[in-house]
Amino acid sequence: MQATSSPGPRRNVTVIGAGIVGMASAIHLQRDGHDVTVVDRLPPGEGTSFGNAGIMTPSAFVPVTTPGFLRKVPKMLFDPMGPLSLRWSYLPRALPWLLSYVGNATPEKVETTATALSGLTSGSVQEHQALARGTGAEPFLHPATYAYVYKDEAQFERESYTWGLRRRHGAKMTLLRGPEVREMEPAVAPDYTFAVALHDHGYVSDPSRLVKALAEQLERAGGRVLRREVRDIEIGPAGPTRLLTDADPLDLDLLIVAAGAWSGALTKRLGNPVPLESERGYHVVLTDPGIAPRVAIMSSTGKFVATPMDMGLRVAGLVEFGGLEGAPNFKRARTLLKHVKLLYPDANTESFTEWMGHRPALPDSLPVIGRSPHFENVYFAFGHQHIGLATGPKTGRLIADLVAGRRPNIDISAFGIERFSA
Ligand SMILES: Cc1cc2nc3c(=O)[nH]c(=O)nc-3n(C[C@H](O)[C@H](O)[C@H](O)COP(=O)(O)OP(=O)(O)OC[C@H]3O[C@@H](n4cnc5c(N)ncnc54)[C@H](O)[C@@H]3O)c2cc1C
């Protein structure tokens, strides 16, 4: 439900970041009548928003760190096929963040996190549809079942804590047993005999082209998309006045920081350092998969997602701590090829592309969405970890609400940047 008061005076808004979060903010702000410029060093949708698994998932409010997480870490770290890895040379830098991250895995904190995130994840398919309406982005949206598959019911029961949490927060699901699993998705190996089919979900069949289509719409409607790297921010007594870039400086009226995993340097300059870390993730796309899965699937055995996309079958997942600068380790990506063969035995894994991206992650698994406590003309929208594609459109709407002075229709108090102030 959208609040109804007017969008307030027309402003010149500059958004740093042309990922899904920045572009969704830009479109919603433009619909409110503002003059919007988006600045990115890359073309739209070429950062983390390029290569995600494409799932629009209202049930993704459960953080990665849940009770018992720490106990599982050693096994995951030392398993070369496991979902978690760490560059040991990066450990000293990552350690404070990691300690805080696992410190949040208590039942009380997980409950609070899930409550806050469920407001953001709910209605993610409808939020995408509303954002895409009237733009060229609509064909990329596919409302569909999203299924977690298991070898057997006992494997599912071992995750009863997270499923209980999802149920309590309203996730709608059907449990499938035996042949029902292959009725839902015939390509799945017969040894997967249990599945949870989640309703009201969906997938995006090309996340990067979706963002590009939004950018094209922004420009058609009079907005600007500039290819620039932001190097510094000039700050006057009332707030930021200019962006210093690798080309000409850009004068500022109102600024939105939506630079994904790279937002930390910018918020520090604006007086709000944040413990933002990259949870690196990988994908492979099978460009000639030889199978045509009907639905997107999360393999609970391999902890990866396989999504039927326009460019092929995308297999995405893994978490690696190695910072923003370290080169990708594509050996990690190739473990996904082995995993997907276990899920889809008939898949052809001969021809593939591979990719690594940076999930923007804060240790409490919550994003930052809100106004700067220091400057009236600065708003933040970053830190969407594993769920930025799903929650980007609602984040953009919330940012437009805040700029307009409209009261957001969900509680966003948990997302303030102030929570990191000493
Ligand atoms: C393997 C993997 C699978 C995933 N699967 C899903 C999924 O199924 N569903 C889901 O909801 N989410 C998923 N995610 C998470 C999702 O992709 C991210 O949360 C989301 O893309 C973040 O969007 P963003 O706009 O914040 O960041 P980005 O897309 O990274 O955009 C930030 C932009 O800011 C620009 N930028 C940064 N600094 C500067 C600067 N100084 N000057 C100019 N430009 C700058 C960058 O170039 C970049 O384009 C997945 C992520 C990974 C890695």
Side-chain angles (χ1 to χ4, degrees), residues 20-21 40-41 48-49 52-55 230 385-390:
I20 182 63
V21 175
D40 199 307
R41 62 180 159 230
T48 311
S49 300
N52 54 60
I55 310 297
V230 177
Q385 36 108 344
H386 295 238
I387 56 172
L389 176 78

Side-chain angles (χ1 to χ4, degrees), residues 9-22:
R10 185 181 178 127
R11 305 286 301 258
N12 288 313
V13 184
T14 304
V15 180
I16 306 177
I20 182 63
V21 175

Side-chain angles (χ1 to χ4, degrees), residues 16-22 39-42 46-49 51-55 57 228-230 258-262 266 279-283 316-317 355 357-360 381-382 384-391:
I16 306 177
I20 182 63
V21 175
V39 187
D40 199 307
R41 62 180 159 230
L42 298 173
E46 299 275 329
T48 311
S49 300
N52 54 60
I55 310 297
T57 165
R228 303 265 201 293
E229 175 162 284
V230 177
W262 298 269
L266 300 167
E279 283 192 38
R280 295 152 55 123
Y282 290 86
H283 84 215
W355 171 87
H358 297 280
R359 299 182 190 91
F382 63 88
H384 293 69
Q385 36 108 344
H386 295 238
I387 56 172
L389 176 78
T391 57

Side-chain angles (χ1 to χ4, degrees), residues 190-277:
D191 55 342
Y192 287 87
T193 64
F194 192 88
V196 184
L198 287 158
H199 311 300
D200 303 332
H201 282 55
Y203 68 90
V204 172
S205 57
D206 193 329
S208 177
R209 285 179 62 207
L210 173 110
V211 177
K212 289 181 197 307
L214 296 173
E216 284 156 18
Q217 174 61 31
L218 189 89
E219 291 187 302
R220 265 196 303 277
R224 294 192 303 165
V225 180
L226 302 179
R227 183 98 180 259
R228 303 265 201 293
E229 175 162 284
V230 177
R231 300 244 166 107
D232 200 359
I233 305 172
E234 275 184 8
I235 303 177
T241 52
R242 286 209 306 180
L243 294 183
L244 303 184
T245 76
D246 54 351
D248 48 325
L250 298 170
D251 288 338
L252 286 178
D253 172 19
L254 200 141
L255 176 65
I256 316 289
V257 177
W262 298 269
S263 300
L266 300 167
T267 67
K268 191 170 172 197
R269 180 75 184 102
L270 293 163
N272 279 102
V274 288
L276 187 64
E277 187 49 78

